[in-house]
Amino acid sequence: AEYMGVYNESMEFQFNLNIILPDEITRLTSDSLIHLERSGGWGPRIRSSESQHLEQIIDAIGDRSAKAQFLHSPITSYKRLQHTDHILYLLKGVNNSTQKCCLIGMLKI
Protein backbone atom coordinates (compact mmCIF):
# COMPACT_ATOMS: atom_id res chain seq x y z
CA ALA A 1 0.00 0.00 0.00
CA GLU A 2 1.15 3.52 -0.75
CA TYR A 3 0.43 6.35 1.69
CA MET A 4 0.93 10.07 1.24
CA GLY A 5 0.51 11.84 4.56
CA VAL A 6 -0.19 15.40 5.52
CA TYR A 7 2.05 18.11 4.04
CA ASN A 8 2.84 21.46 5.62
CA GLU A 9 1.28 23.15 2.63
CA SER A 10 -2.24 22.11 1.69
CA MET A 11 -3.30 20.91 -1.71
CA GLU A 12 -5.86 23.47 -2.77
CA PHE A 13 -7.13 23.68 -6.32
CA GLN A 14 -8.61 26.45 -8.48
CA PHE A 15 -11.91 24.55 -8.65
CA ASN A 16 -14.33 23.48 -5.93
CA LEU A 17 -13.14 20.14 -4.53
CA ASN A 18 -16.56 19.55 -2.94
CA ILE A 19 -18.08 19.10 -6.39
CA ILE A 20 -15.48 16.55 -7.49
CA LEU A 21 -15.07 14.83 -4.10
CA PRO A 22 -18.42 15.23 -2.30
CA ASP A 23 -17.48 12.92 0.60
CA GLU A 24 -14.71 13.34 3.16
CA ILE A 25 -13.19 10.06 1.91
CA THR A 26 -13.56 9.11 -1.76
CA ARG A 27 -12.90 5.57 -3.01
CA LEU A 28 -11.75 5.35 -6.64
CA THR A 29 -11.12 2.35 -8.87
CA SER A 30 -10.68 1.90 -12.60
CA ASP A 31 -14.39 1.01 -12.76
CA SER A 32 -15.40 4.24 -11.02
CA LEU A 33 -13.30 6.28 -13.46
CA ILE A 34 -14.91 4.50 -16.41
CA HIS A 35 -18.36 5.08 -14.90
CA LEU A 36 -17.59 8.78 -14.41
CA GLU A 37 -16.60 9.19 -18.03
CA ARG A 38 -19.54 7.16 -19.40
CA SER A 39 -22.19 8.71 -17.18
CA GLY A 40 -21.42 12.17 -18.53
CA GLY A 41 -22.32 11.09 -22.04
CA TRP A 42 -19.12 12.35 -23.64
CA GLY A 43 -16.93 10.57 -26.14
CA PRO A 44 -13.27 9.66 -25.78
CA ARG A 45 -12.04 13.05 -27.02
CA ILE A 46 -14.48 15.21 -25.04
CA ARG A 47 -14.44 14.93 -21.26
CA SER A 48 -16.36 16.76 -18.61
CA SER A 49 -14.63 19.32 -16.44
CA GLU A 50 -15.28 17.02 -13.45
CA SER A 51 -13.32 14.21 -15.08
CA GLN A 52 -10.51 16.59 -16.03
CA HIS A 53 -10.40 17.99 -12.50
CA LEU A 54 -10.30 14.51 -11.01
CA GLU A 55 -7.34 13.74 -13.27
CA GLN A 56 -5.59 16.89 -12.00
CA ILE A 57 -6.26 15.86 -8.39
CA ILE A 58 -4.96 12.30 -8.79
CA ASP A 59 -1.92 13.40 -10.79
CA ALA A 60 -1.07 16.15 -8.27
CA ILE A 61 -1.25 13.86 -5.26
CA GLY A 62 0.71 11.22 -7.18
CA ASP A 63 3.44 13.79 -7.79
CA ARG A 64 3.49 14.71 -4.09
CA SER A 65 3.63 11.06 -3.11
CA ALA A 66 6.57 10.43 -5.41
CA LYS A 67 8.46 13.38 -3.91
CA ALA A 68 7.70 12.19 -0.38
CA GLN A 69 9.11 8.75 -1.24
CA PHE A 70 12.11 10.18 -3.15
CA LEU A 71 11.02 8.46 -6.36
CA HIS A 72 12.18 9.64 -9.78
CA SER A 73 8.65 9.70 -11.16
CA PRO A 74 5.09 9.23 -9.88
CA ILE A 75 3.67 5.74 -9.59
CA THR A 76 0.13 7.04 -9.05
CA SER A 77 -1.68 8.80 -11.86
CA TYR A 78 -5.16 8.99 -13.36
CA LYS A 79 -4.09 7.10 -16.47
CA ARG A 80 -2.40 4.33 -14.48
CA LEU A 81 -5.40 3.96 -12.18
CA GLN A 82 -7.59 3.43 -15.24
CA HIS A 83 -5.65 0.25 -16.09
CA THR A 84 -5.07 -1.37 -12.69
CA ASP A 85 -7.03 -3.15 -9.99
CA HIS A 86 -5.75 -0.70 -7.36
CA ILE A 87 -8.08 1.18 -5.05
CA LEU A 88 -7.30 4.82 -4.36
CA TYR A 89 -8.74 6.55 -1.30
CA LEU A 90 -8.60 10.35 -1.21
CA LEU A 91 -9.08 12.30 2.03
CA LYS A 92 -10.18 15.91 1.94
CA GLY A 93 -10.51 18.48 4.68
CA VAL A 94 -10.35 22.18 5.38
CA ASN A 95 -7.18 24.25 5.46
CA ASN A 96 -7.39 25.98 8.85
CA SER A 97 -5.53 29.08 7.69
CA THR A 98 -7.53 29.69 4.49
CA GLN A 99 -10.78 27.88 5.39
CA LYS A 100 -10.75 26.36 1.88
CA CYS A 101 -11.44 22.74 1.07
CA CYS A 102 -8.20 20.91 0.33
CA LEU A 103 -6.82 17.47 -0.33
CA ILE A 104 -5.12 16.04 2.74
CA GLY A 105 -3.82 12.66 1.63
CA MET A 106 -4.26 9.38 -0.15
CA LEU A 107 -4.01 5.69 0.44
CA LYS A 108 -3.49 3.37 -2.53
CA ILE A 109 -4.06 -0.34 -2.11
Side-chain angles (χ1 to χ4, degrees):
E2 178 184 350
Y3 171 75
M4 205 262 355
V6 179
Y7 262 69
N8 290 335
E9 58 185 70
S10 65
M11 291 192 68
E12 294 178 6
F13 295 86
Q14 297 299 316
F15 46 86
N16 186 346
L17 269 181
N18 288 318
I19 293 172
I20 313 304
L21 307 173
D23 300 318
E24 181 180 13
I25 298 174
T26 301
R27 180 182 184 271
L28 297 169
T29 64
S30 61
D31 288 341
S32 62
L33 298 181
I34 290 168
H35 175 73
L36 174 66
E37 292 196 8
R38 287 186 181 160
S39 67
W42 56 87
R45 291 181 170 221
I46 302 170
R47 296 173 50 205
S48 74
S49 62
E50 289 86 0
S51 178
Q52 291 172 350
H53 290 159
L54 184 57
E55 182 173 1
Q56 290 174 11
I57 292 166
I58 293 171
D59 290 352
I61 201 148
D63 286 340
R64 285 261 182 111
S65 177
K67 289 176 184 170
Q69 297 176 71
F70 304 104
L71 301 175
H72 295 292
S73 61
I75 57 173
T76 300
S77 71
Y78 184 89
K79 293 193 184 322
R80 286 186 181 190
L81 185 60
Q82 286 178 313
H83 304 288
T84 67
D85 60 353
H86 292 151
I87 302 169
L88 182 66
Y89 293 92
L90 299 176
L91 175 65
K92 73 173 185 178
V94 175
N95 180 330
N96 291 332
S97 61
T98 65
Q99 296 304 307
K100 289 186 178 180
C101 184
C102 64
L103 194 58
I104 296 174
M106 76 161 182
L107 174 67
K108 185 172 82 175
I109 301 172

